[in-house]
């Protein structure tokens, strides 16, 4: 089973996004990624963020009318990054460190019993 790079939660190999933190996991060409199409006959590259910063790797650039990489710069300002709640962060930390917490609890109980028997 794979592991999410953000939250380290186990993820199935066919998952499009992490079920825990919703991080998108699939890359270009996966059937789950949306395909953007030009509706007015204009090329998508004219309004794409990747074309403006010269990082586009799409083979049809700059004449693409369909693209899975298309990102509108105006939509980027509206989106807010995902921030998990404090409860979710605590639960994730506890689930990742459960073995150490149990071991520390057993050690504390053993130490308490040893001190009480003296």
């Amino acid at each position: 089973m794979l592991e999410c790079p953000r939250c380290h939660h186990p993820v199935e190999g066919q998952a499009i996004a992490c079920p825990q933190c919703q991080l998108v996991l699939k890359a270009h060409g996966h059937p789950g990624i949306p395909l953007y199409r030009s509706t007015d006959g204009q090329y998508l590259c004219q309004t794409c963020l990747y074309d403006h910063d010269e990082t586009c790797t799409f083979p049809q650039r700059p004449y693409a009318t369909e693209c899975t990489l298309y990102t509108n710069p105006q939509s980027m300002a509206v989106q807010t990054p995902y921030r998990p709640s404090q409860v979710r962060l605590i639960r994730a930390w506890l689930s990742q460190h459960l073995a150490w917490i149990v071991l520390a609890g057993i050690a504390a109980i053993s130490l308490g019993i040893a001190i009480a028997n003296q």
Side-chain angles (χ1 to χ4, degrees), residues 2-114:
L2 299 175
E3 187 177 274
C4 174
R6 180 188 290 161
C7 70
H8 304 289
H9 188 268
V11 180
E12 290 185 17
Q14 297 299 322
I16 295 171
C18 174
Q20 184 78 16
C21 68
Q22 305 304 318
L23 176 69
V24 177
L25 301 171
K26 294 299 178 179
H28 169 73
H30 187 273
I33 299 296
L35 178 64
Y36 297 94
R37 291 188 174 99
S38 175
T39 55
D40 55 2
Q42 296 288 328
Y43 299 121
L44 291 175
C45 298
Q46 295 171 353
T47 59
C48 182
L49 177 69
Y50 296 119
D51 187 62
H52 290 288
D53 66 7
E54 300 290 329
T55 58
C56 181
T57 59
F58 199 61
Q60 284 78 24
R61 180 181 177 230
Y63 306 111
T65 56
E66 294 182 341
C67 183
T68 56
L69 302 172
Y70 178 75
T71 304
N72 190 335
Q74 287 139 0
S75 69
M76 294 299 287
V78 176
Q79 293 177 350
T80 56
Y82 172 77
R83 290 196 175 93
S85 67
Q86 290 292 347
V87 173
R88 208 172 239 194
L89 288 172
I90 291 169
R91 283 183 184 168
W93 187 88
L94 287 173
S95 69
Q96 289 176 353
H97 299 91
L98 184 61
W100 290 109
I101 294 169
V102 170
L103 188 61
I106 292 171
I109 291 171
S110 299
L111 184 62
I113 292 171

